[in-house]
Amino acid sequence: MSPLVQVFSAISAILVWVIAWYFGTAQEVSSIWWRSDTFAHGLLVLPISGWLAWRSKDRLVGLSIQPALVMALPILAAGFGWLLGELASVASVTHVALAFVLIFSLVGVLGFRLARPLAFPILFLLFGIPIGEFLLPVMMDYTAEFTIAAVRLSGVPVYQEGLHFVIPNGRWSVVEACSGVRYLIASLMVGTLYAYLSYRSLRRRLLFVAAAIVVPVIANWLRAYMIVMLGYLSDNRIATGVDHLLYGWLFFGIVIILMFWIGGRWREDLDPAETQQPLPMVSHGGDRPGFARVVPLALAILAAPLTLHYVERSELLHPATASPIPPLTVSAPWREANAPLPEFKPSFMGYREDSLRHYTDGTHVVSVYVATYADQQPGHELVQSQNALLLPNNSHWNRLNEGQGPDSGAGRWLETRMSGASVKALVWSGYWINGRLVTNDYVAKGLLVLGRLQGHPDTSAFGAVWASAEDDLKAGAALQAFQQVNGQALVDHIAAAARPAQK
């Protein structure tokens, strides 16, 4: 078998070995590629990486596989990160960790000398990670701020409420598709590939990659402004239906083509002699790579999956089950009431049980929501991207601002101010985990992982209490009145819901 065939056979074997042990995570990633428009580019990552590796085959002449056993340490570290992600049911962490397990495994089995000419094809695999949705809220906010400022500078009056704004002849909202995340991710991957193929100097490559990040963001802002102005000037006859997306993609496409055209003026064509020049041939004497040399690396790859299997088998003996949600016992003059209008409910899914009830003292109306979680698995986690007090694409309610709320006695609430069609709402919310009320997603995930590592059941809950009224002051007064009489009962109610069921 020729050395070149050995190299590509080793690469194929590594892919199969890693995917076999991390099959569940690999399947999740591939399913996201197929179903998500944002991450559909992931389907091209492996073919492009393979083509880039084959394109570099001339630089591999004279080199042989010399496994770098020291790479077992970063493989173990990446595997530990994957294990924590699995225990906490954080898909993004497991996806990132899998990519690094694969990258470190390739470097470890091939060796540093072979990995150096293949560095870009190997690192290109990072573009297959379906990550970036965490940028949605930030980019939506910036898009809204720029669009509103630009429309005002154009002489059009604008009334703004968060991501929603009204101009004289229409109402507009910045939704997820307007954030520009899709543009940014696609531009970054294509721009990085273009920079690698078109330039030789690191400085020019980095400058073009920076442009591939900045240009789509600014282009998306201009696109949003253009869409609103086209709708305004045409009295909403154009740029408000299907052509809204058509104009947006057309404008973005023109901008990206111009970026590549301008970048092509400084193109540095690679010298054929340089691309075909192999690295200096090194004699390795009688040292020949064999199966025994890669055994430590193979064991490092499977360490995390085997550990997870052991943890899960031990937990199956005592599966976590959430208690039924008990009724909230309120004190007089509060009593249960009908739902206020317009009714609001937090956007949570995957729960074991949830409860939404409303209470009144004759003057105010307050709503209480609790969702419980146990034996958490993908799609049934307390903390996940689809669980939120208010999702960005909610067309009935708009988040105005949020910050630290009052002390519940077990931690501070998160206070969120929202506006509906004709009312304002004030919400206090938080996660109940291991006897604590926390409001930060990362802290919540950390507590869940810590509890599982300590052998505690992962029963937990989300709780929220809110009031809606004509203005913030009345909504705040309603919550304060409820807190004074039923504050401790509310905390006890959420704690009881998050308690493991008795067997």
Side-chain angles (χ1 to χ4, degrees):
M1 184 183 296
S2 69
L4 194 60
V5 173
Q6 288 182 356
V7 170
F8 284 93
S9 297
I11 292 174
S12 301
I14 296 164
L15 286 172
V16 172
W17 182 255
V18 172
I19 291 175
W21 284 100
Y22 296 82
F23 182 76
T25 304
Q27 191 176 43
E28 287 178 15
V29 172
S30 62
S31 66
I32 292 174
W33 292 345
W34 279 106
R35 73 171 185 263
S36 171
D37 293 336
T38 303
F39 303 111
H41 66 276
L43 295 169
L44 301 175
V45 170
L46 282 176
I48 291 175
S49 181
W51 171 74
L52 290 170
W54 183 255
R55 183 176 177 271
S56 304
K57 63 183 182 299
D58 292 332
R59 300 185 63 197
L60 308 181
V61 176
L63 298 176
S64 60
I65 297 176
Q66 294 294 318
L69 300 186
V70 69
M71 292 303 296
L73 295 177
I75 291 173
L76 288 171
F80 182 70
W82 175 85
L83 177 62
L84 292 180
E86 283 288 322
L87 292 175
S89 295
V90 185
S92 58
V93 172
T94 62
H95 299 164
V96 173
L98 173 60
F100 279 102
V101 167
L102 181 56
I103 289 171
F104 294 149
S105 299
L106 287 168
V107 175
V109 173
L110 297 177
F112 294 122
R113 293 188 62 80
L114 265 175
R116 190 171 72 177
L118 295 176
F120 186 83
I122 292 175
L123 291 176
F124 192 79
L125 295 171
L126 293 174
F127 285 110
I129 304 173
I131 192 171
E133 290 186 335
F134 66 92
L135 295 172
L136 277 172
V138 175
M139 294 188 66
M140 289 170 66
D141 287 340
Y142 282 124
T143 300
E145 294 300 327
F146 177 88
T147 303
I148 292 167
V151 170
R152 283 174 175 161
L153 286 175
S154 301
V156 180
V158 183
Y159 171 73
Q160 178 187 7
E161 281 191 347
L163 299 177
H164 304 273
F165 55 96
V166 181
I167 57 178
N169 62 350
R171 180 180 180 88
W172 296 82
S173 299
V174 176
V175 296
E176 292 183 4
C178 303
S179 66
V181 169
R182 294 179 186 176
Y183 298 155
L184 174 60
I185 294 175
S187 174
L188 179 58
M189 187 184 87
V190 176
T192 302
L193 180 61
Y194 181 88
Y196 172 74
L197 297 175
S198 301
Y199 305 118
R200 285 181 292 170
S201 68
L202 179 62
R203 179 173 175 271
R204 292 193 181 189
R205 285 175 172 173
L206 292 178
L207 285 174
F208 192 85
V209 170
I213 296 173
V214 174
V215 169
V217 173
I218 297 177
N220 181 64
W221 294 349
L222 295 174
R223 179 198 64 85
Y225 164 70
M226 177 191 71
I227 292 295
V228 173
M229 291 304 297
L230 283 175
Y232 172 73
L233 295 175
S234 67
D235 198 20
N236 297 319
R237 287 190 297 271
I238 61 175
T240 56
V242 176
D243 53 346
H244 178 119
L245 299 176
L246 178 62
Y247 295 148
W249 276 107
L250 179 63
F251 175 75
F252 180 76
I254 293 173
V255 170
I256 295 301
I257 291 173
L258 286 175
M259 182 179 73
F260 285 115
W261 177 72
I262 295 172
R265 299 185 62 183
W266 289 277
R267 181 184 178 92
E268 297 173 309
D269 290 324
L270 299 179
D271 185 354
E274 179 183 336
T275 59
Q276 297 176 7
Q277 181 66 32
L279 294 175
M281 188 168 183
V282 178
S283 174
H284 299 288
D287 188 18
R288 59 182 180 85
F291 177 75
R293 293 290 306 277
V294 299
V295 167
L297 299 171
L299 293 176
I301 291 171
L302 60 85
L306 289 180
T307 303
L308 179 64
H309 179 69
Y310 171 78
V311 171
E312 288 180 337
R313 281 190 63 84
S314 64
E315 288 185 353
L316 286 175
L317 300 176
H318 305 284
T321 305
S323 298
I325 299 178
L328 171 60
T329 303
V330 294
S331 301
W334 291 88
R335 64 185 185 279
E336 195 161 347
N338 295 324
L341 294 175
E343 188 173 2
F344 165 76
K345 182 179 180 181
S347 299
F348 273 68
M349 58 180 290
Y351 45 76
R352 297 291 173 175
E353 189 177 351
D354 76 335
S355 170
L356 174 60
R357 295 180 180 275
H358 315 281
Y359 304 91
T360 182
D361 64 352
T363 303
H364 312 103
V365 177
V366 168
S367 302
V368 175
Y369 176 79
V370 177
T372 60
Y373 292 79
D375 192 23
Q376 298 177 39
Q377 304 293 333
H380 297 276
E381 312 103 314
L382 171 63
V383 185
Q384 57 169 304
S385 60
Q386 296 302 311
N387 282 353
L389 182 67
L390 187 67
L391 292 176
N393 58 357
N394 191 304
S395 59
H396 302 291
W397 291 90
N398 180 38
R399 188 197 315 268
L400 299 178
N401 57 66
E402 63 183 21
Q404 194 176 72
D407 190 354
S408 69
R412 287 193 170 275
W413 296 100
L414 176 68
E415 183 174 275
T416 305
R417 297 180 183 276
M418 307 188 309
S419 70
S422 58
V423 298
K424 306 289 185 180
L426 184 65
V427 188
W428 297 342
S429 63
Y431 303 114
W432 187 271
I433 302 172
N434 295 334
R436 293 177 57 187
L437 182 72
V438 296
T439 57
N440 182 280
D441 288 356
Y442 299 102
V443 173
K445 279 295 188 182
L447 290 175
L448 287 171
V449 172
L450 181 61
R452 293 194 68 177
L453 290 176
Q454 293 174 339
H456 299 157
D458 66 347
T459 52
S460 51
F462 170 82
V465 54
W466 66 91
S468 55
E470 295 82 0
D471 56 58
D472 292 339
L473 293 177
K474 291 182 179 180
L479 279 186
Q480 290 292 344
F482 186 82
Q483 167 81 1
Q484 289 176 1
V485 179
N486 300 295
Q488 187 59 49
L490 175 62
V491 172
D492 294 341
H493 172 66
I494 299 174
R499 193 173 296 131
Q502 298 295 324
K503 298 187 177 181

